[in-house]
Amino acid sequence: MKVHQIKIDFNVTEQIKRFVYVYILEAESLYLIDSGVYGSETKIMDYLDSIGRNTSEIKGVFLTHAHPDHIGSAAWFREHSGCKIYASEGERLWIEDIDLQFKERPIPNFYNLAGKSSKVDFVV
């Protein structure tokens, strides 16, 4: 197995710049650890292409926690690869209902970072 690290730069606001890492576990199939902010899928797909792999090979996304910079592209990968989403029970509600997360923890630019809600297939 090989582990790849992708740094995703993003802006919370124009003045607040941040980054997050997405990890790809590469073996016969691919798995992501976190998915970056919404829009990260392009950078991840470009990276997969550079190593001779593609989105259809992604079998699962493991979400470490429900912050927008970690869950933003999860729904996109689920829709485009058919992969499963894994998360902890304590984070499940905020992943499956980002409106609830925004209500309980509003941050600037939330919806542009978080994308949309994603069904959790397996609780770990």
Side-chain angles (χ1 to χ4, degrees):
M1 181 189 332
K2 194 169 183 183
V3 179
H4 303 264
Q5 180 186 52
I6 303 172
K7 183 179 180 183
I8 308 285
D9 295 304
F10 67 95
N11 290 0
V12 176
T13 67
E14 195 168 310
Q15 297 79 25
I16 303 172
K17 300 178 186 320
R18 296 286 185 261
F19 65 88
V20 67
Y21 288 106
V22 171
Y23 296 90
I24 299 170
L25 304 179
E26 180 186 19
E28 185 176 318
S29 298
L30 302 173
Y31 292 86
L32 300 181
I33 299 177
D34 292 327
S35 67
V37 295
Y38 182 71
S40 297
E41 57 274 4
T42 301
K43 188 164 188 176
I44 295 167
M45 288 187 314
D46 288 348
Y47 186 85
L48 290 176
D49 188 51
S50 78
I51 62 169
R53 306 299 292 259
N54 65 64
T55 305
S56 67
E57 298 177 78
I58 298 172
K59 301 301 179 203
V61 177
F62 292 88
L63 299 174
T64 59
H65 59 287
H67 289 171
D69 58 329
H70 292 260
I71 68 169
S73 291
W76 189 94
F77 281 108
R78 189 172 198 279
E79 291 169 10
H80 289 85
S81 73
C83 70
K84 304 296 183 192
I85 304 294
Y86 300 80
S88 69
E89 184 63 42
E91 301 291 313
R92 183 180 200 164
L93 286 178
W94 276 11
I95 295 167
E96 292 188 333
D97 185 355
I98 64 169
D99 294 326
L100 174 65
Q101 181 177 171
F102 181 70
K103 179 181 173 187
E104 294 178 355
R105 186 180 168 267
I107 63 166
N109 207 19
F110 177 83
Y111 287 101
N112 288 328
L113 300 172
K116 61 184 185 177
S117 300
S118 183
K119 180 185 178 301
V120 173
D121 298 292
F122 296 99
V123 177
V124 290

